[in-house]
Amino acid sequence: MFKFRFLSVFLVGLFLFSCATGVRSRSLLFRDNAFAVYVVSRNSIKLKSEELLPQKLNHPVEITEDKVLDLLGNIRFREESSYGNVNLFVFEEDEIKEFASDLVDGLQKVKPDQILLIVSKYNPIKSVVSHYSRTSFYIWSTENTIEIVFGELQREVTYEEQGNYYDWSNIPDISFDHVPEPDYILPGNGFQFKKVSGFKNKRWLEFNKKDLERLKFEKRKSKTKEISTDVEKDVNPNQKITKEDDELLND
């Protein structure tokens, strides 16, 4: 009886593993404390229409670190919440520069029957009271395009998760389908949204390779230093209380 139950549990587990999505069947290619590159078999990616993603891809990919910045640096997304909507960049400039060389290596090593899965953890403020955020995406190349499908977009990583690689790199499935999401990529230069089931998937970006040379990173004004200064003031026990602050406290 015990053997029968054990065999049943084993078979169920094996079935679930075989049905796992690409995210769960990933194979680690490279990682450090804030960035990870995985290869995912094309056969493990299940789509409503298999024609959306070729079985054989145009890999490996030759691309420079500067072009990675051009490719990813201008992408923005809209974050919707009960407090209102805000437009943000998906990646910080320094974040891209930190992982660009590893992404280049990954694109040069990926095989025609694989795509890359990327997980990036970043904290631009680097304060003891600030949180890391996590962004995940698939990236691959066809004959004419470089394509990206985003999963999480700057999802906050809790303190309990951020110190352990096996916690912060454990991401939810990334969907290739058109699914309404509260956060979505905003239209931009250099890419178009992939149409899935007749609708634009605002997390699936197509970059035409013919336009890559014209694609340039647009310098942005960074507020990281200002935010970091404000955070340090908030946690500094020696910070002087101004007259205005004292009046507010007395009220």
Side-chain angles (χ1 to χ4, degrees):
M1 186 67 177
F2 174 78
K3 289 183 178 180
F4 175 75
R5 288 180 178 176
F6 176 81
L7 181 61
S8 298
V9 172
F10 175 78
L11 291 175
V12 170
L14 182 63
F15 173 77
L16 292 174
F17 178 81
S18 65
C19 294
T21 63
V23 173
R24 294 196 182 100
S25 58
R26 58 190 182 177
S27 177
L28 183 63
L29 191 63
F30 169 85
R31 78 168 177 89
D32 59 20
N33 191 44
F35 183 72
V37 183
Y38 301 88
V39 291
V40 177
S41 170
R42 167 60 185 87
N43 290 333
S44 68
I45 304 295
K46 305 302 180 184
L47 303 171
K48 288 183 177 179
S49 174
E50 292 296 320
E51 296 179 356
L52 290 172
L53 185 60
Q55 291 294 329
K56 293 296 180 182
L57 300 163
N58 194 28
H59 294 160
V61 183
E62 293 294 332
I63 190 172
T64 66
E65 293 180 32
D66 288 340
K67 190 50 63 179
V68 169
L69 181 61
D70 294 336
L71 191 74
L72 302 177
N74 301 325
I75 303 174
R76 297 185 304 155
F77 74 103
R78 175 161 294 178
E79 184 178 63
E80 297 183 351
S81 70
S82 58
Y83 302 103
N85 303 335
V86 60
N87 298 341
L88 302 168
F89 285 100
V90 174
F91 300 102
E92 293 286 340
E93 179 180 354
D94 288 342
E95 178 183 9
I96 298 173
K97 289 180 177 178
E98 286 181 15
F99 70 62
S101 62
D102 299 317
L103 180 54
V104 167
D105 289 344
L107 288 170
Q108 290 174 349
K109 293 177 181 178
V110 66
K111 298 177 181 179
D113 60 347
Q114 298 171 331
I115 65 175
L116 287 187
L117 170 64
I118 308 298
V119 185
S120 176
K121 181 189 73 170
Y122 192 71
N123 181 355
I125 301 174
K126 295 180 174 62
S127 166
V128 293
V129 296
S130 60
H131 286 263
Y132 282 84
S133 63
R134 180 176 67 202
T135 299
S136 59
F137 61 97
Y138 284 121
I139 183 170
W140 68 91
S141 171
T142 69
E143 182 179 355
N144 300 313
T145 61
I146 290 179
E147 304 188 24
I148 298 173
V149 172
F150 283 101
E152 293 178 318
L153 297 167
Q154 289 194 21
R155 179 262 188 188
E156 187 176 278
V157 180
T158 65
Y159 286 119
E160 292 75 17
E161 294 177 301
Q162 65 186 25
N164 187 323
Y165 163 75
Y166 294 100
D167 289 334
W168 71 254
S169 66
N170 185 22
I171 63 172
D173 294 346
I174 298 177
S175 176
F176 285 76
D177 298 327
H178 172 70
V179 180
E181 296 278 1
D183 304 337
Y184 55 90
I185 303 297
L186 294 170
N189 296 325
F191 67 84
Q192 62 181 10
F193 295 118
K194 183 79 171 183
K195 279 196 173 183
V196 179
S197 301
F199 295 93
K200 291 180 179 178
N201 185 338
K202 293 185 179 180
R203 286 177 174 246
W204 189 333
L205 282 53
E206 293 182 310
F207 293 84
N208 193 314
K209 288 182 176 179
K210 293 181 180 179
D211 299 329
L212 289 184
E213 285 303 316
R214 298 198 297 269
L215 192 62
K216 300 297 179 184
F217 172 68
E218 299 172 5
K219 271 294 199 181
R220 59 182 94 147
K221 182 180 179 181
S222 175
K223 295 184 180 180
T224 301
K225 186 175 181 180
E226 299 172 13
I227 296 173
S228 179
T229 301
D230 290 340
V231 170
E232 289 173 0
K233 286 181 180 179
D234 290 339
V235 299
N236 187 351
N238 298 319
Q239 178 68 24
K240 291 182 179 179
I241 298 177
T242 64
K243 181 179 179 181
E244 290 80 3
D245 293 333
D246 188 47
E247 289 175 351
L248 288 173
L249 290 171
N250 290 331
D251 288 343

